[in-house]
Amino acid sequence: MTGSFSVVKSEDGEGTIRLSISGDVDNDVAPALTDIIANAADQPGAGPIVVDLDRVSALTAAGIRALLEGREAAERCDRPYRIVNVHDETAGHALRVVGLADIAEQVTALQQRR
């Protein structure tokens, strides 16, 4: 599955870094996403890292692995880490299985629909 992928980084002025992901997060782009999250976490003076999945069209196992590795990078840098806008029920289930549900917003809403 190869498609378009992009990341827009923004800061809120209070140190929070938001990484807005668009497109397919698959084997081809997962290493880049891991690096992007790690670089954001490693920025001096950075605060929480927020990964926004609102515009993700596909999230494969490799993409979920990238999110896990991103959390590890944020933890190494002592940065809070959240995943927001999880709209896909399959992705929400996968995040619960791998233990990311505690930091992923909207996963609870997906659970309630079952």
Side-chain angles (χ1 to χ4, degrees):
M1 171 187 331
T2 301
S4 63
F5 167 79
S6 67
V7 178
V8 174
K9 177 184 161 197
S10 60
E11 297 180 40
D12 71 357
E14 296 179 18
T16 298
I17 296 174
R18 177 177 290 265
L19 302 172
S20 299
I21 314 301
S22 298
D24 298 342
V25 183
D26 58 17
N27 282 329
D28 293 335
V29 302
L33 179 57
T34 299
D35 289 345
I36 290 166
I37 297 169
N39 287 337
D42 198 37
Q43 279 190 319
I49 306 298
V50 177
V51 180
D52 187 341
L53 302 182
D54 188 41
R55 297 181 184 264
V56 169
S57 51
L59 182 65
T60 68
I64 291 170
R65 184 179 61 246
L67 294 172
L68 280 166
E69 291 172 355
R71 178 179 67 181
E72 292 168 4
E75 287 174 351
R76 280 193 303 274
C77 295
D78 199 28
R79 307 275 185 238
Y81 181 77
R82 287 186 308 137
I83 300 169
V84 298
N85 294 321
V86 180
H87 299 302
D88 181 82
E89 189 167 346
T90 303
H93 175 72
L95 293 174
R96 286 191 302 277
V97 168
V98 300
L100 286 174
D102 61 324
I103 60 169
E105 291 180 9
Q106 296 187 9
V107 172
T108 303
L110 292 171
Q111 288 172 328
Q112 292 172 353
R113 280 194 248 153
R114 290 185 163 220

